[in-house]
Amino acid sequence: SYDQPGRHSTWEFAERVAKQGARMLPAHQVTLGLPFYGRHVSTGDWKSYEDLVQAHAPLAPGTDEAGGYYFNGPDLIMRKTRLARELGLGGVMIWEVGQDCRQNAVTHGKDTHAVTCPQGEQSALLAALARELGPRDSDGGDEGGRAPPRDEL
């Protein structure tokens, strides 16, 4: 549901392909792709979401275009995740999770990679996906103690 010319991963395209996939296959065998990058609407060049959010901060969570690049911001990621859940899809697929911004510094050996989400959790796409899925307890159930459904995203 991404890599189309121009605005490559719109809500309208995602809704159309998710519903089409769910009609053609058992819904639990379909995943909805979520891009963690943006494409330039004229040239098709791409940049990671991390690079885009840093270059154009602050971005409102509902922003999906900046500097000529179209991407999925946190609000659209949440909306698409909700769609996958409502259609009973097998889940969502992220390309590529390493292109999200970092909410926390990460240290590997002597190297520390700095925080890159200018607005913390509000900027992060993976955090938006988690917010849409809702809180889980330590056993993987929801706040009411219910186990997650087998087809949980």
Side-chain angles (χ1 to χ4, degrees), residues 2-149:
Y2 51 87
D3 276 351
Q4 302 304 299
R7 289 178 174 83
H8 77 108
S9 186
T10 63
W11 164 256
E12 294 78 14
F13 185 69
E15 184 178 40
R16 188 175 81 229
V17 299
K19 287 180 177 180
Q20 179 182 17
R23 279 192 309 272
M24 296 175 72
L25 296 167
H28 71 276
Q29 294 181 354
V30 177
T31 59
L32 180 62
L34 303 176
F36 277 28
Y37 63 94
R39 285 204 175 270
H40 195 278
V41 297
S42 299
T43 66
D45 291 340
W46 69 275
K47 287 187 180 181
S48 71
Y49 175 75
E50 178 180 47
D51 289 344
L52 290 166
V53 76
Q54 286 186 306
H56 302 286
L59 291 174
T63 301
D64 297 317
E65 194 167 341
Y69 285 81
Y70 186 85
F71 54 93
N72 289 187
D75 286 356
L76 188 51
I77 292 293
M78 289 175 68
R79 192 171 173 203
K80 287 181 175 183
T81 301
R82 187 176 319 121
L83 173 67
R85 207 175 208 180
E86 289 170 353
L87 293 175
L89 301 186
V92 295
M93 184 279 298
I94 298 166
W95 187 267
E96 182 273 308
V97 74
Q99 295 179 5
D100 196 1
C101 57
R102 279 186 299 283
Q103 297 178 69
N104 301 298
V106 177
T107 301
H108 294 287
K110 293 187 268 179
D111 298 324
T112 298
H113 303 276
V115 171
T116 58
C117 287
Q119 295 163 290
E121 186 176 300
Q122 292 304 110
S123 300
L125 298 179
L126 199 56
L129 192 147
R131 282 192 303 276
E132 181 56 38
L133 292 176
R136 298 284 176 228
D137 63 23
S138 60
D139 295 325
D142 64 18
E143 288 183 315
R146 293 175 295 271

